[in-house]
Amino acid sequence: MICPWTIYQCYDDTRLLEEQYESMTGWVNFMHSRVSSDYIWRGDFQFGDWLDYRGEDSRNPNPVTNRKLIATAFFAYSTGLLAKMAEALGRSEDAGRYKELAAKVKAAFNNEFVTPSGRVGPNTQTAYVLALHFDLLPDAVRPIAAERLANEIRQGQYHMATGFVSRPKPFWIYGCILQVAQPGRISLLALPCEVRRHHNLGTLG
């Protein structure tokens, strides 16, 4: 899902989208068949945020960010990408259907994992990064969640505390800041502002 969309964005060539369309719709339809009636993906084995095994019981380590949140977030994101790709291919009926499904999953994600005060899931970097980067949060909640993400990074002494699934694109924000600032001297507002800029909510001064 993500690779064909990224390549299309880079080259504006729909051939790969055409070639992969059947497999992509098959994957989204499979996910849809596995979720509960409220669109939360609770069943099936999920690796979750592997490489972030910091569970309380060392005999049975588990990713800190719960698997249901991650699986549902990727379901919403993948479905939204498929809607955009269907639109790019002129498949308007499919685009409308998958856009509607993505909106339902997004609403379910917020109902299940997001509080009015902007807390996402277990208050981890992974939870906030996925919610922000996948554009799953309401506009009013997004800057609050971004501030919570900044606080989590500050409390972690500016170290990443994520596993595999939340390391890619969203953390270019964090990485760029660390390259130009010394630890402990990063502006308290720098990170959330950059996150907001990435989501068209402001600019980094």
Side-chain angles (χ1 to χ4, degrees), residues 130-153:
L130 292 181
L132 288 165
H133 180 58
F134 290 174
D135 195 21
L136 300 179
L137 303 175
D139 290 343
V141 174
R142 204 150 43 212
I144 306 172
E147 179 62 38
R148 283 179 173 270
L149 170 60
N151 287 334
E152 284 303 301
I153 294 174

Side-chain angles (χ1 to χ4, degrees), residues 53-130:
Y53 284 85
R54 296 179 288 139
E56 296 180 359
D57 188 345
S58 61
R59 297 166 300 176
N60 183 31
N62 289 293
V64 177
T65 308
N66 52 307
R67 296 177 174 92
K68 296 187 292 292
L69 182 151
I70 293 171
T72 304
F74 273 92
F75 177 31
Y77 185 55
S78 297
T79 306
L81 289 185
L82 182 57
K84 293 178 181 178
M85 289 186 278
E87 186 174 0
L89 294 173
R91 301 172 184 256
S92 57
E93 184 175 343
D94 283 1
R97 182 169 68 254
Y98 288 117
K99 184 177 181 179
E100 181 180 357
L101 176 58
K104 291 179 179 178
V105 183
K106 180 177 177 178
F109 180 91
N110 279 273
N111 183 63
E112 183 77 11
F113 303 114
V114 183
T115 70
S117 63
R119 179 188 175 99
V120 180
N123 201 53
T124 59
Q125 291 183 22
T126 291
Y128 292 116
V129 166
L130 292 181

Side-chain angles (χ1 to χ4, degrees), residues 16 35 65 93 185 188 195 202:
L16 184 60
V35 299
T65 308
E93 184 175 343
R185 297 186 62 186
L188 294 181
V195 171

